[in-house]
Amino acid sequence: GAGVSQSPRYKVAKRGQDVALRCDPISGHVSLFWYQQALGQGPEFLTYFQNEAQLDKSGLPSDRFFAERPEGSVSTLKIQRTQQEDSAVYLCASSPTGTNYGYTFGSGTRLTVV
Amino acid sequence: DAKTTQPNSMESNEEEPVHLPCNHSTISGTDYIHWYRQLPSQGPEYVIHGLTSNVNNRMASLAIAEDRKSSTLILHRATLRDAAVYYCILRDVGGNMLTFGGGTRLMVKP
């Protein structure tokens, strides 16, 4: 497709439930990023993939958060045993390799944990 | 990581130019200056980036101070659709992730 696609657009989870958020990057984009954005704040880095390799996961807030990109294209962010503080918008971005390119972000998944 | 400082908010009138400032006094020689904006209920959108020279594209212009310790994003003619949060970000030439600050919320008045 023309842009980065994220699904679902909205997700309501009960506390303790596991959730999986999907990101379809732009075809051919090597780099893929996940960000978390709390209400009224700027996005915060979670993790980074180059093709299928997860090169940086320093931003994942706890071991309940797990991300994968097994074939170097679609990526899934999984959150186990969700808690209220996990409520946020989760953004995915992709880019070609190299610093001379901007990132293309998806519209995000708004997760609400009740 | 080198940090940036931006005003929390700015106002502009429609069809007038807007100058959004950014200070980055600790910038290193290998840091690119990137600008993104985020419209309500959308993900951030790339606007422009530069290293030393001023840059122009269809969306905006980027003016970089000679000492690179500050930069200004210029919207030549603001429209209501330009109302967004604008983020100034430094990205090292060898780095990958973007570190967002609080940004500047631009309000455009008709």
Side-chain angles (χ1 to χ4, degrees):
Chain A
V4 176
S5 178
Q6 292 189 246
S7 60
R9 187 79 173 89
Y10 301 94
K11 176 70 178 177
V12 178
K14 292 185 178 179
R15 192 169 50 181
Q17 186 180 352
D18 297 349
V19 298
L21 313 179
R22 178 186 169 105
C23 172
D24 279 272
I26 292 174
S27 178
H29 276 193
V30 169
S31 300
L32 185 145
F33 305 81
W34 284 97
Y35 282 80
Q36 179 190 59
Q37 186 170 25
L39 192 63
Q41 306 293 317
E44 291 196 0
F45 171 79
L46 292 177
T47 187
Y48 159 62
F49 290 85
Q50 187 170 50
N51 295 307
E52 69 278 5
Q54 189 175 20
L55 298 186
D56 188 343
K57 53 182 181 179
S58 61
L60 296 177
S62 77
D63 58 8
R64 296 185 296 104
F65 287 70
F66 172 76
E68 60 184 6
R69 192 186 185 198
E71 296 178 359
S73 55
V74 171
S75 177
T76 303
L77 177 67
K78 298 179 179 178
I79 309 174
Q80 297 177 321
R81 305 181 303 281
T82 53
Q83 300 176 5
Q84 281 192 318
E85 60 261 32
D86 300 335
S87 295
V89 175
Y90 290 86
L91 295 160
C92 176
S94 71
S95 82
T97 193
T99 51
N100 208 30
Y101 300 95
Y103 296 179
T104 303
F105 281 81
S107 296
T109 294
R110 180 176 295 279
L111 172 65
T112 304
V113 181
V114 298
Chain B
D1 290 340
K3 296 283 191 271
T4 63
T5 304
Q6 301 177 253
N8 288 334
S9 64
M10 290 183 65
E11 268 191 9
S12 172
N13 294 317
E14 196 176 12
E15 299 188 5
E16 289 186 357
V18 182
H19 290 232
L20 296 163
C22 182
N23 287 322
H24 28 78
S25 58
T26 59
I27 191 171
S28 76
T30 54
D31 283 330
Y32 281 80
I33 302 159
H34 285 245
W35 283 81
Y36 283 74
R37 71 179 186 181
Q38 189 170 21
L39 280 65
S41 300
Q42 294 189 26
E45 174 187 27
Y46 168 79
V47 177
I48 200 167
H49 78 280
L51 184 62
T52 55
S53 303
N54 294 344
V55 185
N56 300 294
N57 66 21
R58 64 174 178 82
M59 290 182 70
S61 295
L62 176 60
I64 301 172
E66 199 169 329
D67 64 3
R68 300 212 322 128
K69 294 187 176 182
S70 66
S71 61
T72 302
L73 181 71
I74 303 165
L75 307 180
H76 295 287
R77 200 163 159 268
T79 70
L80 296 178
R81 290 175 294 178
D82 291 323
V85 178
Y86 286 78
Y87 295 99
C88 169
I89 301 165
L90 300 182
R91 182 183 170 195
D92 185 79
V93 66
N96 293 295
M97 68 173 173
L98 300 173
T99 301
F100 288 82
T104 296
R105 181 173 297 279
L106 175 66
M107 292 166 279
V108 181
K109 297 183 290 183

Tab-separated table of all heavy atoms in Angstrom, chain B residues 35-88:
chain	number	residue	atom	x	y	z
B	35	TRP	N	12.542	17.713	11.230
B	35	TRP	CA	11.267	18.252	11.691
B	35	TRP	C	10.136	17.314	11.271
B	35	TRP	O	10.081	16.866	10.114
B	35	TRP	CB	11.002	19.642	11.112
B	35	TRP	CG	11.784	20.735	11.778
B	35	TRP	CD1	13.084	21.080	11.532
B	35	TRP	CD2	11.326	21.615	12.792
B	35	TRP	NE1	13.455	22.136	12.333
B	35	TRP	CE2	12.396	22.488	13.122
B	35	TRP	CE3	10.106	21.777	13.466
B	35	TRP	CZ2	12.278	23.495	14.079
B	35	TRP	CZ3	9.986	22.780	14.411
B	35	TRP	CH2	11.067	23.623	14.716
B	36	TYR	N	9.283	17.037	12.226
B	36	TYR	CA	8.064	16.267	11.988
B	36	TYR	C	6.898	17.069	12.541
B	36	TYR	O	7.076	17.919	13.417
B	36	TYR	CB	8.118	14.912	12.700
B	36	TYR	CG	8.982	13.882	12.012
B	36	TYR	CD1	10.368	13.966	12.069
B	36	TYR	CD2	8.408	12.845	11.292
B	36	TYR	CE1	11.164	13.032	11.413
B	36	TYR	CE2	9.197	11.898	10.637
B	36	TYR	CZ	10.572	12.016	10.701
B	36	TYR	OH	11.355	11.085	10.052
B	37	ARG	N	5.701	16.778	12.045
B	37	ARG	CA	4.525	17.381	12.637
B	37	ARG	C	3.472	16.301	12.852
B	37	ARG	O	3.472	15.278	12.154
B	37	ARG	CB	3.974	18.498	11.769
B	37	ARG	CG	3.312	18.056	10.465
B	37	ARG	CD	2.781	19.255	9.721
B	37	ARG	NE	2.016	18.880	8.529
B	37	ARG	CZ	1.467	19.757	7.713
B	37	ARG	NH1	1.579	21.069	7.939
B	37	ARG	NH2	0.787	19.346	6.664
B	38	GLN	N	2.608	16.541	13.816
B	38	GLN	CA	1.578	15.561	14.138
B	38	GLN	C	0.230	16.256	14.204
B	38	GLN	O	-0.001	17.091	15.095
B	38	GLN	CB	1.882	14.852	15.465
B	38	GLN	CG	0.960	13.682	15.744
B	38	GLN	CD	1.422	12.850	16.935
B	38	GLN	OE1	2.179	13.301	17.791
B	38	GLN	NE2	0.973	11.593	16.999
B	39	LEU	N	-0.614	15.924	13.255
B	39	LEU	CA	-1.966	16.442	13.244
B	39	LEU	C	-2.810	15.640	14.227
B	39	LEU	O	-2.459	14.503	14.577
B	39	LEU	CB	-2.564	16.362	11.836
B	39	LEU	CG	-2.156	17.468	10.845
B	39	LEU	CD1	-0.675	17.419	10.517
B	39	LEU	CD2	-2.994	17.412	9.582
B	40	PRO	N	-3.926	16.192	14.681
B	40	PRO	CA	-4.761	15.475	15.652
B	40	PRO	C	-5.163	14.093	15.162
B	40	PRO	O	-5.530	13.918	14.002
B	40	PRO	CB	-5.980	16.398	15.800
B	40	PRO	CG	-5.467	17.753	15.463
B	40	PRO	CD	-4.440	17.537	14.395
B	41	SER	N	-5.038	13.116	16.032
B	41	SER	CA	-5.437	11.728	15.782
B	41	SER	C	-4.676	11.070	14.635
B	41	SER	O	-5.168	10.113	14.022
B	41	SER	CB	-6.953	11.649	15.485
B	41	SER	OG	-7.685	12.139	16.577
B	42	GLN	N	-3.505	11.564	14.333
B	42	GLN	CA	-2.676	10.952	13.297
B	42	GLN	C	-1.268	10.709	13.835
B	42	GLN	O	-0.873	11.268	14.856
B	42	GLN	CB	-2.592	11.857	12.062
B	42	GLN	CG	-3.918	12.034	11.344
B	42	GLN	CD	-3.749	12.751	10.023
B	42	GLN	OE1	-2.692	12.707	9.397
B	42	GLN	NE2	-4.806	13.415	9.582
B	43	GLY	N	-0.517	9.867	13.129
B	43	GLY	CA	0.885	9.684	13.466
B	43	GLY	C	1.707	10.866	12.979
B	43	GLY	O	1.254	11.653	12.148
B	44	PRO	N	2.924	11.005	13.501
B	44	PRO	CA	3.795	12.093	13.029
B	44	PRO	C	4.050	11.990	11.534
B	44	PRO	O	4.066	10.896	10.960
B	44	PRO	CB	5.084	11.884	13.835
B	44	PRO	CG	4.654	11.142	15.056
B	44	PRO	CD	3.543	10.257	14.606
B	45	GLU	N	4.264	13.140	10.922
B	45	GLU	CA	4.498	13.227	9.481
B	45	GLU	C	5.824	13.934	9.258
B	45	GLU	O	6.068	15.018	9.813
B	45	GLU	CB	3.356	14.021	8.835
B	45	GLU	CG	3.523	14.328	7.364
B	45	GLU	CD	2.442	15.265	6.856
B	45	GLU	OE1	1.905	16.065	7.654
B	45	GLU	OE2	2.148	15.217	5.652
B	46	TYR	N	6.698	13.347	8.439
B	46	TYR	CA	7.975	13.972	8.123
B	46	TYR	C	7.738	15.285	7.389
B	46	TYR	O	6.900	15.368	6.481
B	46	TYR	CB	8.795	13.023	7.247
B	46	TYR	CG	10.004	13.651	6.610
B	46	TYR	CD1	11.171	13.843	7.333
B	46	TYR	CD2	9.972	14.057	5.275
B	46	TYR	CE1	12.290	14.425	6.742
B	46	TYR	CE2	11.074	14.633	4.677
B	46	TYR	CZ	12.228	14.827	5.411
B	46	TYR	OH	13.319	15.407	4.831
B	47	VAL	N	8.493	16.330	7.789
B	47	VAL	CA	8.368	17.627	7.124
B	47	VAL	C	9.624	17.932	6.314
B	47	VAL	O	9.570	18.153	5.105
B	47	VAL	CB	8.105	18.755	8.151
B	47	VAL	CG1	8.055	20.116	7.451
B	47	VAL	CG2	6.807	18.500	8.915
B	48	ILE	N	10.772	17.927	6.984
B	48	ILE	CA	11.996	18.357	6.319
B	48	ILE	C	13.180	17.994	7.193
B	48	ILE	O	13.020	17.763	8.404
B	48	ILE	CB	11.942	19.881	6.058
B	48	ILE	CG1	12.917	20.336	4.969
B	48	ILE	CG2	12.154	20.662	7.358
B	48	ILE	CD1	12.644	21.761	4.488
B	49	HIS	N	14.383	17.911	6.620
B	49	HIS	CA	15.574	17.755	7.443
B	49	HIS	C	16.768	18.382	6.735
B	49	HIS	O	16.744	18.578	5.509
B	49	HIS	CB	15.841	16.285	7.800
B	49	HIS	CG	16.461	15.472	6.693
B	49	HIS	ND1	15.729	14.950	5.650
B	49	HIS	CD2	17.746	15.072	6.485
B	49	HIS	CE1	16.504	14.266	4.858
B	49	HIS	NE2	17.743	14.317	5.329
B	50	GLY	N	17.808	18.690	7.527
B	50	GLY	CA	19.008	19.282	6.962
B	50	GLY	C	20.205	19.076	7.883
B	50	GLY	O	20.054	18.685	9.035
B	51	LEU	N	21.377	19.380	7.354
B	51	LEU	CA	22.603	19.218	8.147
B	51	LEU	C	23.255	20.569	8.415
B	51	LEU	O	23.429	20.956	9.560
B	51	LEU	CB	23.589	18.301	7.417
B	51	LEU	CG	24.872	17.960	8.165
B	51	LEU	CD1	24.558	17.201	9.454
B	51	LEU	CD2	25.810	17.147	7.278
B	52	THR	N	23.594	21.290	7.354
B	52	THR	CA	24.238	22.593	7.529
B	52	THR	C	23.563	23.679	6.692
B	52	THR	O	23.374	24.799	7.151
B	52	THR	CB	25.722	22.536	7.138
B	52	THR	OG1	25.827	22.043	5.798
B	52	THR	CG2	26.498	21.611	8.063
B	53	SER	N	23.213	23.347	5.478
B	53	SER	CA	22.646	24.354	4.564
B	53	SER	C	21.142	24.446	4.732
B	53	SER	O	20.485	23.488	5.132
B	53	SER	CB	22.961	23.968	3.117
B	53	SER	OG	24.346	23.844	2.925
B	54	ASN	N	20.613	25.599	4.394
B	54	ASN	CA	19.158	25.769	4.404
B	54	ASN	C	18.539	24.841	3.355
B	54	ASN	O	19.152	24.522	2.335
B	54	ASN	CB	18.798	27.219	4.104
B	54	ASN	CG	19.266	28.153	5.209
B	54	ASN	OD1	19.593	27.728	6.308
B	54	ASN	ND2	19.299	29.439	4.901
B	55	VAL	N	17.327	24.390	3.642
B	55	VAL	CA	16.653	23.411	2.789
B	55	VAL	C	15.244	23.894	2.488
B	55	VAL	O	14.601	24.517	3.342
B	55	VAL	CB	16.584	22.038	3.500
B	55	VAL	CG1	15.989	20.981	2.575
B	55	VAL	CG2	17.948	21.603	3.993
B	56	ASN	N	14.788	23.595	1.293
B	56	ASN	CA	13.414	23.921	0.907
B	56	ASN	C	12.760	22.681	0.314
B	56	ASN	O	13.394	21.918	-0.415
B	56	ASN	CB	13.388	25.037	-0.157
B	56	ASN	CG	14.016	26.305	0.342
B	56	ASN	OD1	13.510	26.952	1.247
B	56	ASN	ND2	15.141	26.668	-0.243
B	57	ASN	N	11.496	22.479	0.623
B	57	ASN	CA	10.713	21.483	-0.089
B	57	ASN	C	9.297	22.012	-0.229
B	57	ASN	O	9.011	23.176	0.125
B	57	ASN	CB	10.783	20.104	0.575
B	57	ASN	CG	10.136	20.041	1.947
B	57	ASN	OD1	9.300	20.881	2.302
B	57	ASN	ND2	10.522	19.038	2.717
B	58	ARG	N	8.406	21.155	-0.727
B	58	ARG	CA	7.057	21.647	-1.026
B	58	ARG	C	6.270	21.998	0.227
B	58	ARG	O	5.290	22.725	0.179
B	58	ARG	CB	6.296	20.590	-1.842
B	58	ARG	CG	6.058	19.314	-1.099
B	58	ARG	CD	5.186	18.330	-1.879
B	58	ARG	NE	5.012	17.088	-1.136
B	58	ARG	CZ	4.121	16.926	-0.175
B	58	ARG	NH1	3.328	17.927	0.176
B	58	ARG	NH2	4.013	15.776	0.469
B	59	MET	N	6.694	21.461	1.364
B	59	MET	CA	5.945	21.702	2.606
B	59	MET	C	6.446	22.923	3.355
B	59	MET	O	5.655	23.652	3.967
B	59	MET	CB	6.044	20.494	3.539
B	59	MET	CG	5.290	19.279	3.077
B	59	MET	SD	5.412	17.930	4.256
B	59	MET	CE	4.416	18.546	5.607
B	60	ALA	N	7.783	23.108	3.382
B	60	ALA	CA	8.345	24.123	4.269
B	60	ALA	C	9.783	24.434	3.878
B	60	ALA	O	10.339	23.843	2.958
B	60	ALA	CB	8.306	23.616	5.717
B	61	SER	N	10.365	25.382	4.623
B	61	SER	CA	11.790	25.680	4.514
B	61	SER	C	12.425	25.505	5.875
B	61	SER	O	11.777	25.721	6.905
B	61	SER	CB	12.010	27.113	4.033
B	61	SER	OG	11.519	27.277	2.729
B	62	LEU	N	13.680	25.121	5.866
B	62	LEU	CA	14.445	24.959	7.105
B	62	LEU	C	15.649	25.888	7.025
B	62	LEU	O	16.475	25.751	6.112
B	62	LEU	CB	14.896	23.510	7.280
B	62	LEU	CG	15.790	23.207	8.479
B	62	LEU	CD1	15.085	23.555	9.789
B	62	LEU	CD2	16.208	21.733	8.479
B	63	ALA	N	15.705	26.812	7.987
B	63	ALA	CA	16.824	27.731	8.077
B	63	ALA	C	17.688	27.302	9.248
B	63	ALA	O	17.197	27.194	10.383
B	63	ALA	CB	16.322	29.156	8.269
B	64	ILE	N	18.970	27.057	8.993
B	64	ILE	CA	19.891	26.557	10.023
B	64	ILE	C	20.917	27.646	10.300
B	64	ILE	O	21.555	28.166	9.377
B	64	ILE	CB	20.586	25.265	9.550
B	64	ILE	CG1	19.532	24.195	9.251
B	64	ILE	CG2	21.570	24.772	10.602
B	64	ILE	CD1	20.095	22.936	8.605
B	65	ALA	N	21.084	27.981	11.576
B	65	ALA	CA	22.057	29.001	11.956
B	65	ALA	C	23.459	28.557	11.571
B	65	ALA	O	23.759	27.360	11.494
B	65	ALA	CB	21.976	29.250	13.461
B	66	GLU	N	24.324	29.546	11.379
B	66	GLU	CA	25.681	29.230	10.936
B	66	GLU	C	26.418	28.338	11.938
B	66	GLU	O	27.173	27.441	11.546
B	66	GLU	CB	26.469	30.532	10.732
B	66	GLU	CG	27.695	30.371	9.865
B	66	GLU	CD	28.290	31.715	9.465
B	66	GLU	OE1	27.534	32.693	9.331
B	66	GLU	OE2	29.525	31.770	9.307
B	67	ASP	N	26.191	28.555	13.228
B	67	ASP	CA	26.843	27.722	14.256
B	67	ASP	C	26.054	26.443	14.534
B	67	ASP	O	26.464	25.656	15.387
B	67	ASP	CB	27.067	28.517	15.547
B	67	ASP	CG	25.778	28.955	16.211
B	67	ASP	OD1	24.692	28.591	15.708
B	67	ASP	OD2	25.834	29.655	17.222
B	68	ARG	N	24.935	26.260	13.869
B	68	ARG	CA	24.060	25.075	13.966
B	68	ARG	C	23.436	24.902	15.345
B	68	ARG	O	22.873	23.853	15.633
B	68	ARG	CB	24.811	23.809	13.577
B	68	ARG	CG	25.349	23.822	12.187
B	68	ARG	CD	25.422	22.476	11.490
B	68	ARG	NE	25.816	21.379	12.357
B	68	ARG	CZ	25.118	20.248	12.465
B	68	ARG	NH1	24.007	20.069	11.789
B	68	ARG	NH2	25.552	19.281	13.259
B	69	LYS	N	23.508	25.911	16.191
B	69	LYS	CA	22.946	25.758	17.534
B	69	LYS	C	21.457	26.097	17.567
B	69	LYS	O	20.817	25.976	18.624
B	69	LYS	CB	23.727	26.614	18.531
B	69	LYS	CG	25.161	26.123	18.704
B	69	LYS	CD	25.892	26.851	19.803
B	69	LYS	CE	27.280	26.233	19.985
B	69	LYS	NZ	28.034	26.856	21.080
B	70	SER	N	20.926	26.512	16.475
B	70	SER	CA	19.484	26.751	16.396
B	70	SER	C	19.036	26.600	14.947
B	70	SER	O	19.850	26.643	14.018
B	70	SER	CB	19.123	28.144	16.909
B	70	SER	OG	19.667	29.133	16.072
B	71	SER	N	17.742	26.394	14.795
B	71	SER	CA	17.161	26.306	13.454
B	71	SER	C	15.731	26.826	13.512
B	71	SER	O	15.149	26.966	14.601
B	71	SER	CB	17.193	24.870	12.927
B	71	SER	OG	16.450	23.994	13.758
B	72	THR	N	15.177	27.117	12.350
B	72	THR	CA	13.821	27.634	12.260
B	72	THR	C	13.093	26.942	11.115
B	72	THR	O	13.606	26.885	9.994
B	72	THR	CB	13.821	29.155	11.997
B	72	THR	OG1	14.548	29.808	13.041
B	72	THR	CG2	12.400	29.708	11.953
B	73	LEU	N	11.933	26.406	11.434
B	73	LEU	CA	11.059	25.859	10.400
B	73	LEU	C	10.144	26.965	9.929
B	73	LEU	O	9.510	27.639	10.743
B	73	LEU	CB	10.234	24.702	10.951
B	73	LEU	CG	9.294	24.045	9.947
B	73	LEU	CD1	10.091	23.247	8.914
B	73	LEU	CD2	8.283	23.140	10.643
B	74	ILE	N	10.082	27.161	8.632
B	74	ILE	CA	9.288	28.250	8.075
B	74	ILE	C	8.158	27.675	7.221
B	74	ILE	O	8.407	26.943	6.254
B	74	ILE	CB	10.164	29.190	7.222
B	74	ILE	CG1	11.312	29.739	8.066
B	74	ILE	CG2	9.319	30.329	6.634
B	74	ILE	CD1	12.428	30.365	7.264
B	75	LEU	N	6.938	27.993	7.627
B	75	LEU	CA	5.766	27.707	6.792
B	75	LEU	C	5.442	29.013	6.099
B	75	LEU	O	5.132	30.011	6.761
B	75	LEU	CB	4.593	27.231	7.645
B	75	LEU	CG	4.861	26.053	8.584
B	75	LEU	CD1	3.601	25.700	9.371
B	75	LEU	CD2	5.356	24.855	7.811
B	76	HIS	N	5.480	29.022	4.792
B	76	HIS	CA	5.415	30.303	4.073
B	76	HIS	C	4.037	30.940	4.116
B	76	HIS	O	3.923	32.167	4.072
B	76	HIS	CB	5.899	30.105	2.649
B	76	HIS	CG	7.350	29.732	2.593
B	76	HIS	ND1	8.352	30.646	2.852
B	76	HIS	CD2	7.964	28.548	2.361
B	76	HIS	CE1	9.525	30.038	2.762
B	76	HIS	NE2	9.319	28.767	2.473
B	77	ARG	N	3.019	30.111	4.198
B	77	ARG	CA	1.657	30.644	4.216
B	77	ARG	C	0.791	29.650	4.985
B	77	ARG	O	0.375	28.635	4.451
B	77	ARG	CB	1.173	30.794	2.788
B	77	ARG	CG	0.021	31.720	2.571
B	77	ARG	CD	-0.089	32.107	1.101
B	77	ARG	NE	-1.426	32.575	0.791
B	77	ARG	CZ	-2.417	31.794	0.336
B	77	ARG	NH1	-2.187	30.531	0.100
B	77	ARG	NH2	-3.610	32.302	0.099
B	78	ALA	N	0.566	29.935	6.257
B	78	ALA	CA	-0.140	28.986	7.110
B	78	ALA	C	-1.583	28.811	6.666
B	78	ALA	O	-2.269	29.773	6.302
B	78	ALA	CB	-0.105	29.467	8.556
B	79	THR	N	-2.038	27.564	6.715
B	79	THR	CA	-3.444	27.262	6.489
B	79	THR	C	-3.987	26.580	7.739
B	79	THR	O	-3.211	26.161	8.617
B	79	THR	CB	-3.639	26.331	5.286
B	79	THR	OG1	-3.144	25.025	5.639
B	79	THR	CG2	-2.899	26.844	4.061
B	80	LEU	N	-5.301	26.457	7.817
B	80	LEU	CA	-5.911	25.825	8.985
B	80	LEU	C	-5.415	24.378	9.126
B	80	LEU	O	-5.322	23.841	10.235
B	80	LEU	CB	-7.432	25.870	8.884
B	80	LEU	CG	-8.049	27.273	8.894
B	80	LEU	CD1	-9.566	27.180	8.743
B	80	LEU	CD2	-7.692	28.022	10.159
B	81	ARG	N	-5.086	23.750	7.987
B	81	ARG	CA	-4.616	22.365	8.027
B	81	ARG	C	-3.192	22.236	8.578
B	81	ARG	O	-2.726	21.123	8.801
B	81	ARG	CB	-4.676	21.759	6.631
B	81	ARG	CG	-6.086	21.510	6.129
B	81	ARG	CD	-6.084	21.020	4.711
B	81	ARG	NE	-5.591	22.046	3.795
B	81	ARG	CZ	-5.449	21.881	2.494
B	81	ARG	NH1	-5.722	20.721	1.938
B	81	ARG	NH2	-5.013	22.868	1.735
B	82	ASP	N	-2.516	23.363	8.771
B	82	ASP	CA	-1.172	23.315	9.360
B	82	ASP	C	-1.198	23.295	10.882
B	82	ASP	O	-0.145	23.199	11.522
B	82	ASP	CB	-0.347	24.522	8.889
B	82	ASP	CG	-0.010	24.452	7.411
B	82	ASP	OD1	0.254	23.324	6.925
B	82	ASP	OD2	-0.009	25.511	6.755
B	83	ALA	N	-2.379	23.396	11.473
B	83	ALA	CA	-2.486	23.334	12.933
B	83	ALA	C	-2.095	21.927	13.389
B	83	ALA	O	-2.723	20.933	13.023
B	83	ALA	CB	-3.903	23.653	13.379
B	84	ALA	N	-1.020	21.853	14.173
B	84	ALA	CA	-0.448	20.563	14.557
B	84	ALA	C	0.604	20.799	15.629
B	84	ALA	O	0.920	21.936	15.974
B	84	ALA	CB	0.203	19.889	13.345
B	85	VAL	N	1.158	19.697	16.153
B	85	VAL	CA	2.325	19.783	17.022
B	85	VAL	C	3.555	19.551	16.144
B	85	VAL	O	3.616	18.563	15.407
B	85	VAL	CB	2.278	18.748	18.157
B	85	VAL	CG1	3.546	18.831	19.007
B	85	VAL	CG2	1.045	18.959	19.020
B	86	TYR	N	4.504	20.468	16.204
B	86	TYR	CA	5.713	20.404	15.393
B	86	TYR	C	6.889	20.007	16.277
B	86	TYR	O	7.159	20.638	17.300
B	86	TYR	CB	5.971	21.752	14.727
B	86	TYR	CG	5.017	22.025	13.590
B	86	TYR	CD1	3.713	22.436	13.852
B	86	TYR	CD2	5.395	21.828	12.266
B	86	TYR	CE1	2.812	22.654	12.814
B	86	TYR	CE2	4.510	22.048	11.222
B	86	TYR	CZ	3.217	22.457	11.504
B	86	TYR	OH	2.330	22.665	10.486
B	87	TYR	N	7.583	18.954	15.866
B	87	TYR	CA	8.711	18.419	16.628
B	87	TYR	C	10.026	18.673	15.887
B	87	TYR	O	10.151	18.356	14.705
B	87	TYR	CB	8.565	16.906	16.814
B	87	TYR	CG	7.385	16.467	17.641
B	87	TYR	CD1	6.215	16.020	17.032
B	87	TYR	CD2	7.446	16.471	19.029
B	87	TYR	CE1	5.136	15.593	17.785
B	87	TYR	CE2	6.366	16.042	19.789
B	87	TYR	CZ	5.215	15.612	19.161
B	87	TYR	OH	4.152	15.196	19.913
B	88	CYS	N	10.986	19.213	16.604
B	88	CYS	CA	12.348	19.402	16.117
B	88	CYS	C	13.197	18.302	16.767
B	88	CYS	O	13.198	18.176	17.994
B	88	CYS	CB	12.833	20.788	16.528
B	88	CYS	SG	14.588	21.107	16.281
